[in-house]
Amino acid sequence: MRTRHPIAASLAVLGYIVMLVPILFVVVTAFTAGSTLRFPPEGFSLQWFEAALTYTPFTSSLVSSLILAVISAALALALGVPVALAIHRGKLPGKALVEGLFLSPLIVPELVVGLALYQQLMVGFGLDNFQTLLFGHTVLMFPYAVRVTGASLALIDPAVEDAARGLGASAGRTFFSITLPLLRPGLFSAALLSFITSFNNVPLSLLLQSRDFRTLPVVMLDYVQQNYDPIVAAISVLILAATVLVAVIAERTVGFAKVFGGINR
Amino acid sequence: MRGRTALLVLPGLAVLLVGFLIPSVAMLFAPPGVSPVEVFERLGQMLTDPYDQAIVMRTLGLGLIVTVICIGLGYPIAYLLSRSTSRWAGVLLALAIFPLLLSSVVRTFGWLVVLGSQGAIPQLLLRLGLVDTAPQLLYTPLAIVLGLTQIFLPLAVVASYSALAQVDAGLDEAARGLGANRIRTFWSVVVPLSGPGVVVAATLVFAGAVTAYTTPYLLGGSRQRMLSTQLYTYSSTTIDWAAASATALIMTVLVFAVSGLSSLAARRGATS
């Protein structure tokens, strides 16, 4: 790996620098004692962490983001897992079309979907911004719910289910005591991917914000545009730390690459 | 049984229709209070107006550059990782995937610290005496390219990796056993076999880059407008919904065209 491919190795090193070095700069800046985004930072201090944790727009939008991500991930799974079941186990005409439809939110630009929901559901139908966000985020997660649980469903031998049914279990009983437990790793991956997708989303949430309900990335974006101080670096480091924790938990339970490499995007 | 299967699909389908399919179609062709004719008139104006043309060309051009760079850096990473037997390969793969878990705001923010006038690169150039005043690096096409490359490189790595992992490493050895050198093996065996996967990777990156919002907004600002930042301005600042829908239409057609072309290319690559 070291010298056998010198050109490929140099390109790879450059790639890692572009991917990771800006994140390192965020981390270093968060600990500055100074008051601007100056590099090198002036002294060491935890003041910006304190500032981030007591700045109400951040804390209240963090709560909003968590609520939205949890509810919409649960909805996406509750609605998407039956679809995956129908595609892989049921007698459904046009399976490919159904699967394609549920994956289609990945293709249309998110900002376009955000504008569509803003115009049609909020302005047109008078839904409030939380309800509209819930629709948008749930739909955005369908591809993960359907594709990831579908992939793990495809790995379960249908003969196990047939055996349960042959021994007299009803369809419901078979699902809850055989299929669902076997499906658990897939469900976990789908839930995690969905949650993270929602929590990080900007383009879909951007046009759907209101004064009462805004998500954290959107608030951070607004803040960065108007101010030039390290408070956003501090909140970023807190998010980074939480994300590392999530990744470690994912690694311990299902395997990191399996969860996050499972679906290309 | 067929009826029961339909029952499984219907609730999800209903939400998909209300929360995505119907609004998207309705918005593109008839936003509230605007007739479809106005949208298409505005679309026609945009395609002939030099200012709007410049935005479309900038979006396409930067998207293309970012795609080339992401594949140029991501494919070597994926290649080395897929052929490595080192135990560090797993860690390096995780490091490449990990940024995907971070919000684009968190990732892009770093460039403000790197490129800003008080930031690392301008200050370094000043201290080295290479420049007299801090160069303006933010709000330039370069900043957008760097930012978008950072955002989409992990995607290029993951997609290329899954393509390369399917190319049996035994084939490399077979080619070398038959007398091909390392470079020949790479170009005549590894590259053609992983080609369709790389096309997929490039499509994902391009579609993402021409529709991304956060990075062009933070690093390009109002000086380097792209379709996405322009769309947001039309729909929330100037509230010109005909223009917003027309911009959305351009973005959507662009993405669909590229996905269509790439699936054609991938299919041809697979059959030839």
Side-chain angles (χ1 to χ4, degrees):
Chain A
M1 184 159 175
R2 222 147 284 143
T3 52
R4 280 192 294 168
H5 305 278
I7 301 172
S10 339
L11 290 173
V13 169
L14 193 61
Y16 275 101
I17 290 175
V18 176
M19 275 194 286
L20 300 176
V21 166
I23 299 175
L24 290 180
F25 275 91
V26 176
V27 175
V28 173
T29 309
F31 292 95
T32 184
S35 58
T36 58
L37 294 178
R38 179 185 288 272
F39 203 91
E42 305 151 274
F44 172 87
S45 146
L46 292 176
Q47 59 172 335
W48 294 108
F49 288 96
E50 197 195 335
L53 289 170
T54 52
Y55 182 61
T56 329
F58 283 168
T59 48
S60 67
S61 64
L62 171 65
V63 173
S64 300
S65 278
L66 291 173
I67 291 173
L68 179 66
V70 167
I71 299 180
S72 51
L75 277 176
L77 280 184
L79 297 166
V81 172
V83 174
L85 273 174
I87 290 171
H88 291 272
R89 292 288 189 271
K91 298 177 180 62
L92 192 71
K95 283 179 190 178
L97 177 72
V98 171
E99 188 170 27
L101 277 180
F102 279 90
L103 296 181
S104 60
L106 280 185
I107 307 173
V108 179
E110 280 179 44
L111 197 63
V112 173
V113 180
L115 176 63
L117 296 182
Y118 176 55
Q119 286 185 354
Q120 303 297 325
L121 295 188
M122 271 175 79
V123 177
F125 270 93
L127 294 188
D128 70 29
N129 85 304
F130 176 69
Q131 294 162 336
T132 312
L133 277 168
L134 215 48
F135 264 112
H137 280 230
T138 303
V139 169
L140 194 68
M141 295 170 189
F142 273 157
Y144 302 106
V146 173
R147 170 74 64 85
V148 177
T149 50
S152 81
L153 206 53
L155 293 176
I156 301 173
D157 187 353
V160 187
E161 291 161 343
D162 290 343
R165 222 158 306 146
L167 291 168
S170 65
R173 174 104 196 253
T174 306
F175 175 74
F176 284 104
S177 30
I178 305 293
T179 314
L180 201 58
L182 289 172
L183 204 54
R184 210 176 290 154
L187 288 175
F188 181 79
S189 306
L192 210 55
L193 276 173
S194 300
F195 177 85
I196 285 173
T197 306
S198 166
F199 187 80
N200 288 337
N201 184 278
V202 171
L204 189 58
S205 313
L206 196 65
L207 286 161
L208 304 177
Q209 58 176 316
S210 79
R211 212 181 308 148
D212 308 323
F213 198 93
R214 308 172 75 199
T215 61
L216 182 59
V218 172
V219 171
M220 285 167 66
L221 195 61
D222 280 354
Y223 189 93
V224 173
Q225 195 56 22
Q226 285 149 21
N227 307 271
Y228 206 64
D229 68 38
I231 193 170
V232 174
I235 186 89
S236 294
V237 169
L238 295 175
I239 295 173
L240 184 74
T243 309
V244 172
L245 195 67
V246 168
V248 169
I249 293 171
E251 172 63 30
R252 289 282 154 84
T253 45
V254 199
F256 183 79
K258 243 189 209 161
V259 174
F260 301 110
I263 187 165
N264 287 337
R265 195 173 127 144
Chain B
M1 190 67 208
R2 182 170 293 187
R4 228 192 266 174
T5 305
L7 280 182
L8 291 174
V9 178
L10 284 181
L13 205 56
V15 172
L16 189 72
L17 281 172
V18 177
F20 175 64
L21 292 170
I22 295 173
S24 305
V25 174
M27 188 258 324
L28 291 176
F29 298 104
V34 180
S35 78
V37 180
E38 286 176 74
V39 174
F40 281 96
E41 270 175 15
R42 194 69 183 81
L43 184 66
Q45 284 171 17
M46 272 183 187
L47 295 176
T48 50
D49 178 76
Y51 177 75
D52 290 315
Q53 277 177 350
I55 292 173
V56 174
M57 294 318 284
R58 179 181 298 122
T59 306
L60 281 174
L62 293 183
L64 211 58
I65 294 171
V66 168
T67 306
V68 170
I69 298 177
C70 280
I71 298 300
L73 300 178
Y75 189 82
I77 293 178
Y79 175 70
L80 293 176
L81 291 182
S82 71
R83 293 295 178 270
S84 165
T85 46
S86 158
R87 63 199 169 90
W88 289 102
V91 177
L92 284 171
L93 183 62
L95 272 179
I97 299 176
F98 180 75
L100 285 175
L101 312 185
L102 287 174
S103 165
S104 53
V105 183
V106 173
R107 285 190 271 166
T108 302
F109 184 75
W111 291 108
L112 297 177
V113 186
V114 176
L115 302 175
S117 58
Q118 304 285 314
I121 292 181
Q123 291 303 313
L124 182 70
L125 294 176
L126 276 177
R127 283 185 197 196
L128 291 176
L130 294 172
V131 289
D132 297 327
T133 51
Q136 174 67 36
L137 297 175
L138 279 180
Y139 317 118
T140 62
L142 173 73
I144 300 181
V145 167
L146 284 171
L148 288 177
T149 301
Q150 183 203 13
I151 300 285
F152 292 106
L153 190 48
L155 205 58
V157 173
V158 174
S160 305
Y161 183 84
S162 55
L164 279 160
Q166 280 164 12
V167 179
D168 189 348
L171 289 176
D172 300 20
E173 276 162 43
R176 231 165 298 148
L178 291 168
N181 62 25
R182 233 168 258 291
I183 295 168
R184 175 100 196 259
T185 303
F186 179 73
W187 284 110
S188 337
V189 177
V190 180
V191 170
L193 285 174
S194 58
V198 174
V199 172
V200 172
T203 312
L204 288 173
V205 172
F206 183 79
V210 296
T211 59
Y213 176 80
T214 309
T215 306
Y217 175 74
L218 284 180
L219 303 178
S222 53
R223 283 190 227 175
Q224 301 293 331
R225 295 243 172 220
M226 289 181 59
L227 281 173
S228 56
T229 46
Q230 195 63 11
L231 170 65
Y232 183 72
T233 306
Y234 283 141
S235 45
S236 80
T237 314
T238 58
I239 324 239
D240 179 351
W241 280 5
S245 282
T247 311
L249 202 59
I250 297 176
M251 275 169 78
T252 310
V253 168
L254 208 61
V255 169
F256 272 91
V258 171
S259 316
L261 281 179
S262 94
S263 62
L264 266 183
R267 207 168 303 156
R268 185 172 291 179
T271 51
S272 68

